[in-house]
Amino acid sequence: MHSESASLGLRLAAWGGLLFLHFPIVIIILYAFNTEDAAFSFPPQGFTLNWFTVAFARPDVLEAIMLSVKVASLATLIALVLGTLASAALYRRSFFGKESISLMLILPIALPGIITGIALLSAFKTLGIEPGVLTIVVGHATFCVVIVYNNVIARLRRTSQSLIEASMDLGADGWQTFRYIILPNLGSALLAGGMLAFALSFDEIIVTTFTAGHERTLPIWLLNQLSRPRDVPVTNVVALLVMLVTMLPILGAYYLTRGGESVAGGGK
């Protein structure tokens, strides 16, 4: 009886924690659909899609969306290339300094965003590079590489080396082995890593604040909207969009990688 009551208490505490974390998100969603004549009332007075029409008719919103998509796509592409190459170089061989290199790869995601942002801004100023789209992409790529690297190296470690050796024994060269053996095993890991990197880049604000200059990505647009209370309904709509764009790739990556233990050659 005591264990059952303790289990019930833990479940209630878990659900309470989830409710506490997600209650502000629910409020934003509700107010994104609140009626026009009661946009600031509590509780919400009705349902309308008018604010979506208003939001997507505004040039500043569309420009911010396009810039965020552009930056996230470029940062993800860079991360896929560099993260895959780094994981391929580190997963098999042991050499002096390997742990230090691994730490340096993971460090950008572990450091507070403000530290990374200040370091990047100082580096760009030293090199004489003006903040803009390029600096935002480079800044985002520094931590997106980590996401791809972690996914790919985990999959490589679960891929049986005997498959690669068998391919080489049967006459395949390095490119053929990579194309027909390694790449198919990495497919879902690359896709999941790319989706996570895109989501992380799309809603990044701290590093972007230091590297954006006069550019305004969607998160920076949202931050600027805090000083405009009359635009709260439109801000709620854009915030809902950011949540969807961020949440859907994360869920997709989760479903792609949760069966990673069953990868061919992965063993038991």
Side-chain angles (χ1 to χ4, degrees), residues 193-209:
M195 293 168 71
L196 286 172
F198 183 91
L200 192 64
S201 173
F202 189 83
D203 71 350
E204 167 58 39
I205 185 170
I206 300 177
V207 173
T208 311
T209 301

Side-chain angles (χ1 to χ4, degrees), residues 3 11-13 25-26 37 55 72 92 97 105 112 116 133 149 153 159 170 186 200 207 211 217 221 246 249 252 266:
S3 61
R11 286 198 296 269
L12 291 175
I25 298 175
V26 173
D37 57 347
R92 284 183 59 192
L105 281 168
T116 303
V133 176
Y149 169 78
I153 200 167
T159 301
L170 291 172
L186 296 181
L200 192 64
V207 173
T211 58
T217 61
W221 182 92
T246 304

Side-chain angles (χ1 to χ4, degrees), residues 5-161:
S5 61
S7 178
L8 177 61
L10 288 174
R11 286 198 296 269
L12 291 175
W15 281 109
L18 289 173
L19 179 63
F20 176 78
L21 290 172
H22 291 90
F23 181 74
I25 298 175
V26 173
I27 293 297
I28 290 177
I29 294 173
L30 288 177
Y31 274 85
F33 296 97
N34 198 16
T35 54
E36 183 175 1
D37 57 347
F40 302 99
S41 63
F42 183 84
Q45 301 299 309
F47 179 88
T48 183
L49 296 176
N50 177 67
W51 297 120
F52 288 83
T53 304
V54 173
F56 291 111
R58 288 179 50 162
D60 57 333
V61 174
L62 297 178
E63 290 172 4
I65 292 173
M66 294 305 298
L67 179 59
S68 287
V69 171
K70 178 181 178 180
V71 168
S73 299
L74 291 173
T76 300
L77 181 61
I78 294 172
L80 284 171
V81 175
L82 296 182
T84 302
L85 292 176
S87 58
L90 294 176
Y91 93 99
R92 284 183 59 192
R93 299 285 186 261
S94 295
F95 53 88
F96 177 76
K98 177 180 177 179
E99 297 302 324
S100 298
I101 295 175
S102 299
L103 177 62
M104 291 175 64
L105 281 168
I106 297 172
L107 201 57
I109 200 77
L111 287 174
I114 190 170
I115 302 299
T116 303
I118 292 173
L120 286 168
L121 181 60
S122 299
F124 292 141
K125 291 295 185 182
T126 301
L127 296 174
I129 301 174
E130 290 298 320
V133 176
L134 175 62
T135 57
I136 301 174
V137 171
V138 172
H140 287 198
T142 57
F143 54 80
C144 288
V145 167
V146 183
I147 305 298
V148 177
Y149 169 78
N150 284 337
N151 276 272
V152 174
I153 200 167
R155 183 60 55 86
L156 286 171
R157 286 168 176 166
R158 290 197 299 266
T159 301
S160 176
Q161 185 62 28

Side-chain angles (χ1 to χ4, degrees), residues 161-230:
Q161 185 62 28
S162 61
L163 293 175
I164 300 175
E165 294 173 353
S167 173
M168 303 295 282
D169 287 342
L170 291 172
D173 56 27
W175 167 247
Q176 289 173 322
T177 299
F178 175 79
R179 180 181 177 185
Y180 295 111
I181 302 299
I182 299 177
L183 194 58
N185 275 323
L186 296 181
S188 60
L190 286 171
L191 182 58
M195 293 168 71
L196 286 172
F198 183 91
L200 192 64
S201 173
F202 189 83
D203 71 350
E204 167 58 39
I205 185 170
I206 300 177
V207 173
T208 311
T209 301
F210 288 93
T211 58
H214 298 293
E215 301 291 342
R216 288 204 307 175
T217 61
L218 204 55
I220 291 182
W221 182 92
L222 284 170
L223 182 63
N224 292 336
Q225 287 297 109
L226 295 178
S227 60
R228 300 175 182 176
R230 291 185 178 276

